[in-house]
Amino acid sequence: MMGRCTLHIALLVCFSTSALAVSYKLLGFQLRSSSLECQELLLKLNGTSKYCLKDRMNFEIPEEITKSQPFQKEEAILVILEIFQKIFDIFSRNISSTGWNETTVENLLATLHWQKEHLETILEEIMEEENFTWDNATLLHLKKYYLRIVRYLKAKEYSTCAWTVVQAEVLRDFFFLDRLINFLQN
């Protein structure tokens, strides 16, 4: 009797966890919290400098992201995951010339990594449950956008000003990311 009751409870917990994982409102709340934490950590890096204005560049974020193009919720999750992944990849690079607090950068990377893994798990669940397909053009445009940022950093030899410009660009990305997160909650 006790074993059967334990099995029922275990199954209930398992199914409720899966149901909660795909609850878009809950996911939106988690993403919003994570996004705010990342933004606060980016601001703590103190990378803004008026001396770096000459190094500014338009990296041309894809129009699909800047315009409030209606995505399916699954597509929005995929785009959000890609943004978190690319930001993680960028800040995993050579930041030694920045003078940034390493603990702050590590906390930023940890937050991005956790969110990335969480989204990957949810996306796997969605793909198992649904027949989800979509045009990869948006992801391709996003990859090219972040590649331009990486090339810029390399061309500027990871200078402090280059990192300041990239930090400002990534903070701008979080504005668009927040719009995608809002879409999930509607």
Side-chain angles (χ1 to χ4, degrees), residues 102-127:
E102 287 182 34
T103 304
T104 303
V105 175
E106 287 172 9
N107 289 340
L108 173 64
L109 290 173
T111 303
L112 290 167
H113 181 73
W114 178 85
Q115 195 58 61
K116 213 168 43 96
E117 285 191 343
H118 183 66
L119 286 171
E120 286 170 351
T121 302
I122 289 171
L123 212 49
E124 285 174 14
E125 287 178 18
I126 289 171
M127 289 187 175

Side-chain angles (χ1 to χ4, degrees), residues 1 51 56 71 84 106 147:
M1 176 76 171
Y51 303 108
R56 286 190 338 193
F71 288 108
F84 275 125
E106 287 172 9
L147 182 60

Side-chain angles (χ1 to χ4, degrees), residues 72 74-75 78 126-127 130-136:
Q72 291 179 354
E74 298 83 3
E75 292 172 340
L78 197 56
I126 289 171
M127 289 187 175
E130 301 173 18
N131 188 11
F132 171 65
T133 58
W134 80 301
D135 182 17
N136 263 347

Side-chain angles (χ1 to χ4, degrees), residues 49-171:
S49 174
K50 62 183 174 184
Y51 303 108
C52 296
L53 291 176
K54 65 182 177 356
D55 291 321
R56 286 190 338 193
M57 181 174 170
N58 180 2
F59 295 104
E60 300 173 16
I61 191 164
E63 274 188 37
E64 301 95 333
I65 307 302
T66 60
K67 307 258 190 255
S68 292
Q69 176 182 334
F71 288 108
Q72 291 179 354
K73 292 186 190 248
E74 298 83 3
E75 292 172 340
I77 292 171
L78 197 56
V79 169
I80 292 167
L81 172 61
E82 186 69 22
I83 292 171
F84 275 125
Q85 175 66 54
K86 294 305 181 190
I87 293 171
F88 178 87
D89 291 346
I90 286 171
F91 281 91
S92 296
R93 295 184 171 273
N94 181 4
I95 60 162
S96 59
S97 65
T98 62
W100 290 339
N101 180 314
E102 287 182 34
T103 304
T104 303
V105 175
E106 287 172 9
N107 289 340
L108 173 64
L109 290 173
T111 303
L112 290 167
H113 181 73
W114 178 85
Q115 195 58 61
K116 213 168 43 96
E117 285 191 343
H118 183 66
L119 286 171
E120 286 170 351
T121 302
I122 289 171
L123 212 49
E124 285 174 14
E125 287 178 18
I126 289 171
M127 289 187 175
E128 285 176 7
E129 293 175 9
E130 301 173 18
N131 188 11
F132 171 65
T133 58
W134 80 301
D135 182 17
N136 263 347
T138 302
L139 284 185
L140 180 62
H141 295 155
L142 263 177
K143 288 177 186 202
K144 287 180 180 180
Y145 164 72
Y146 284 107
L147 182 60
R148 286 190 292 274
I149 293 173
V150 169
R151 286 182 177 158
Y152 169 81
L153 279 169
K154 285 181 183 177
K156 295 287 186 173
E157 298 176 350
Y158 299 95
S159 70
T160 303
C161 278
W163 274 112
T164 299
V165 169
V166 169
Q167 176 197 16
E169 183 72 14
V170 169
L171 278 166

Side-chain angles (χ1 to χ4, degrees), residues 1-13:
M1 176 76 171
M2 184 65 151
R4 202 161 78 186
C5 184
T6 305
L7 177 63
H8 288 295
I9 291 172
L11 288 173
L12 182 63
V13 169

